[in-house]
Each structure stands twice: as C-alpha cells, then as structure tokens.
Amino acid sequence: NDALVVALWILFTHVFEGAETSPFLRIISPTWNCGKTTLMKVIFRLSRSGWLVARATQAAYYRKLQVSKQTILLDEGDAFLAENEIWRNILDGASDPDTANISVAVKIGDTWVEDTINVFAPIAIASIGKLRRMHTVESRGIAVHLKHATKEERKSLTKARQRDMRTSMIPIAERCARWGADNLAAFTNARPVMLEHMDGRESDKLEPLFAIAALCSPATLEEITKLAVSQTEDPSDEYSAMILPDIKR
C-alpha cells in the first residue's frame, strides 16, 4: 500500500534526527499527469519544515540545511538529477548522518577556511521514471509508483486547490508534529526486528518505517511487513529497460 509508505515517511520527517539512516521517498510516475506534483504538495504540507523545489543547485541545497533542518522535496528530479554525478555523490552521503558532510571553503577576511556542513535530512524525490545513472540513489529509496487515474476514478476526484489543501491539512500537520514530539525518544531507542532475507541496505532503509509502524499499532507493523515482503521478493529490475537507449547512445 503506497499510501501507508507515504504516511509513515511523513511521520519520519518529524523524528528523523533519531534515525541512523534516512531513506529517500522516491515518487515515480510512468508519464506526465499522474499526480506526482500533487502528492509532493500533500507531503510538503504535512511534513516537518518542507522545502519544495522544482530545481536546486548543490550549493543552495547544503546552504539551506546549514541554516535549518528541512524536509527536502525535489520535484522534477528527472530534469536535473538524472546522470548528475555531483548530485549522486551528495545524495548518497546525505542518507547517513555520519557521511552527510559537505566540506566547503569560506572566505573570512583575506583568508579561506574550511567549513563542514551536515546535510542529513529527510529527502523525497519525484520524477518521471527512474533516475538514469543514479542507481546508488535509487537503492537508498523506497519507491512509490503512481499511475494514470481511470475515467471512473477521475469521477470521484476533485482538483487539489491550494487554499482547500491548506485548510484541510493544517490540523493533520499539527497532529503529525505532536506525534513526533511525543515519540522521538521511543523512535530513537527502537530496534525493530527486520526480515531475515533483506540485504543490508534494504534493511537499513526500511528500519525507520518499521520502527514508526510499531509505535503506531501492531496492525500497522504487520501491514508494512507484508508490503516489504512483496517488494523484496520482486525480482524485476527496471534498469534493464534502459539498456537499449544506452546502447544507442
């Protein structure tokens, strides 16, 4: 259930400083007009200190986090992240609090001095398709796959107007923030039991969501466990579909 993954990840943004790893939320749309930007707007309004941008430079990203901890929401990732080796390097490091350090040179007077900025933060990335040549980033993400709404489904949908979204989501955002304040210590000390067949990275990125699910209810933990089993048992590799365009290039 992708909605459950999104909900747990939103709660994660309110307690992320207690985590040992930060899984990226990967919102993947097969084509345009599947609602990825609308979903990013929902996450923006419910997450902790959301920063929603359609493009960002590396310098803007780590300077933003130097000032305050934010939930980073990168929309249109396929337009500026794909095949971007510098961004791949930054994002790979940003998923772990020990490696999420960017070293920059800062001029003070006539002297250049080194300054280290920690960029550990919750990060959601939305894109059409997987990010090309960003396999290490994708492996650190939990994927949410969108699809076109059918004609029947569209009959029950209403336009996500900004004012309506703001009004309806403020009470939910306040409850999420309160949940984070009440459960930060328990989340920090949690050691959930992970599935035996998971490899190290798979276990690392899902552990925060397992911990949050366990704090919510046994039923929620059971549901996310079933979802994790179905995902890790899927042998398909979407990168194989990229081989022909790569060969052509």
Side-chain angles (χ1 to χ4, degrees), residues 6-235:
V6 173
L8 292 176
W9 193 86
I10 288 171
L11 290 179
F12 169 72
T13 70
H14 293 275
V15 293
F16 82 94
E17 62 264 56
E20 294 186 357
T21 186
S22 178
F24 305 136
L25 182 65
R26 281 292 289 115
I27 299 169
I28 302 174
S29 174
T31 185
W32 61 277
N33 199 29
C34 290
K36 66 179 178 60
T37 299
T38 299
L39 178 55
M40 289 291 270
K41 289 180 180 180
V42 171
I43 297 170
F44 167 68
R45 300 198 180 281
L46 298 181
S47 60
R48 172 179 168 182
S49 303
W51 185 48
L52 175 59
V53 292
R55 176 177 288 270
T57 65
Q58 296 91 1
Y61 163 73
Y62 52 73
R63 289 299 185 187
K64 183 74 171 179
L65 290 176
Q66 185 181 32
V67 176
S68 62
K69 289 301 181 183
Q70 309 266 165
T71 297
I72 308 299
L73 306 172
L74 304 175
D75 199 7
E76 311 296 342
D78 49 299
F80 74 102
L81 292 179
E83 303 190 47
N84 190 320
E85 190 66 11
I86 296 177
W87 261 113
R88 187 183 71 81
N89 170 236
I90 292 172
L91 291 172
D92 283 350
S95 65
D96 186 306
D98 290 334
T99 61
N101 296 309
I102 303 295
S103 178
V104 297
V106 179
K107 192 173 185 180
I108 301 179
D110 295 328
T111 305
W112 287 92
V113 298
E114 188 276 340
D115 186 19
T116 300
I117 304 171
N118 186 273
V119 295
F120 182 65
I123 301 172
I125 305 170
S127 65
I128 296 176
K130 280 193 172 185
L131 300 174
R132 297 179 61 84
R133 302 188 188 282
M134 300 283 277
H135 191 278
T136 53
V137 172
E138 297 290 17
S139 70
R140 289 173 167 85
I142 302 174
V144 171
H145 293 277
L146 304 183
K147 64 181 182 65
H148 267 302
T150 64
K151 289 183 178 180
E152 285 301 313
E153 289 171 336
R154 283 198 294 270
K155 291 178 181 179
S156 63
L157 297 177
T158 56
K159 185 174 177 61
R161 299 188 181 280
Q162 292 186 26
R163 292 174 183 172
D164 294 340
M165 290 177 68
R166 187 182 301 114
T167 301
S168 62
M169 291 184 186
I170 285 177
I172 303 173
E174 291 174 347
R175 291 174 63 187
C176 290
R178 179 56 188 266
W179 185 93
D182 291 344
N183 289 277
L184 175 58
F187 172 78
T188 303
N189 296 322
R191 297 295 182 271
V193 178
M194 306 305 294
L195 303 176
E196 291 183 0
H197 65 278
M198 286 182 175
D199 64 26
R201 181 164 293 176
E202 195 74 22
S203 178
D204 286 346
K205 71 183 182 182
L206 286 172
E207 182 176 298
L209 299 195
F210 270 60
I212 293 170
L215 290 171
C216 290
S217 71
T220 306
L221 178 59
E222 181 180 0
E223 192 172 349
I224 194 65
T225 301
K226 290 179 180 177
L227 179 62
V229 169
S230 66
Q231 286 191 347
T232 54
E233 287 181 347
D234 183 3

